[in-house]
Amino acid sequence: MSDITVRPLGVEEWEQYRSVRLTALAESPEAFVATQAAEEAEPEEFWRARMERSTRLLAEVDGEPVGIASVGEVGEAKPEAAQLFGLFVRPEARGSGVATALVRAGARVAAEQGRSQLYYWVGTDNGRAVAFASGFGFRPTGLRRPMRVVSEDDGEEEVAMTLPLSGDRGGIPNF
């Protein structure tokens, strides 16, 4: 595979983000709360507002989009933290380092924003995702919530994993 580049998208690039996001919803509908049909119907204003709320990262190989991720605020209760969400890698690019490049870029963005922690919510039953996040240096917290991509009544939940962005990171790869 060629070199992977990751760059933040500007508000004016909302159409490119929309295109990759809709691809993600079509190819991995089980991984997202939203549906492709619902988001496809949204007007330009919706997409522009979404671009302004969080940093949208685009991974490309040879100029072709292969993945996306977003970095945004956790909330007023944790102003020192950011969260990584909406991580998606096209199936043909999985296992090639795209997810790692997106997480590294997300950690860099959060650190540049002055954040000291990066949160990433992972399904407790998704061993592959937990192993990926752990290998990157994320550690589980005591925070849990019902998985929103299934039913809140079915018992499946997500755990918040956190990555320190400053100080001793215990051998975590540089971002």
Side-chain angles (χ1 to χ4, degrees):
M1 180 171 257
S2 300
D3 287 340
I4 302 163
T5 60
V6 178
R7 64 184 180 87
L9 293 171
V11 174
E12 295 303 317
E13 295 176 288
W14 67 270
E15 289 176 292
Q16 184 154 24
Y17 174 73
R18 178 185 185 272
S19 175
V20 180
R21 170 76 175 170
L22 293 177
T23 298
L25 293 171
E27 290 182 356
S28 298
E30 72 287 348
F32 299 96
V33 175
T35 66
Q36 180 189 18
E39 290 203 1
E40 199 166 36
E42 294 291 354
E44 178 179 337
E45 297 77 32
F46 169 87
W47 294 98
R48 285 183 176 277
R50 180 175 266 185
M51 298 296 286
E52 291 174 356
R53 278 195 312 269
S54 301
T55 301
R56 308 302 171 163
L57 301 170
L58 176 70
E60 297 172 305
V61 172
D62 296 329
E64 291 297 314
V66 292
I68 54 172
S70 298
V71 178
E73 294 181 355
V74 172
E76 292 179 16
K78 291 211 169 279
E80 75 285 357
Q83 67 176 324
L84 181 78
F85 60 97
L87 178 64
F88 168 77
V89 176
R90 292 189 64 116
E92 66 274 12
R94 291 178 186 160
S96 68
V98 173
T100 297
L102 283 163
V103 173
R104 263 197 192 109
R108 223 177 1 259
V109 165
E112 289 168 0
Q113 293 173 348
R115 310 301 176 133
S116 61
Q117 289 182 323
L118 182 63
Y119 281 84
Y120 181 43
W121 288 91
V122 179
T124 55
D125 290 339
N126 188 341
R128 186 174 172 189
V130 170
F132 168 75
S134 296
F136 197 86
F138 284 88
R139 296 295 172 250
T141 68
L143 300 173
R144 303 274 194 279
R145 68 182 183 193
M147 282 198 65
R148 295 176 299 168
V149 295
V150 189
S151 161
E152 289 188 15
D153 299 326
D154 71 3
E156 289 190 49
E157 59 182 7
E158 295 177 302
V159 59
M161 298 185 75
T162 186
L163 177 71
L165 298 176
S166 58
D168 179 16
R169 296 192 319 271
I172 296 168
N174 290 331
F175 28 80

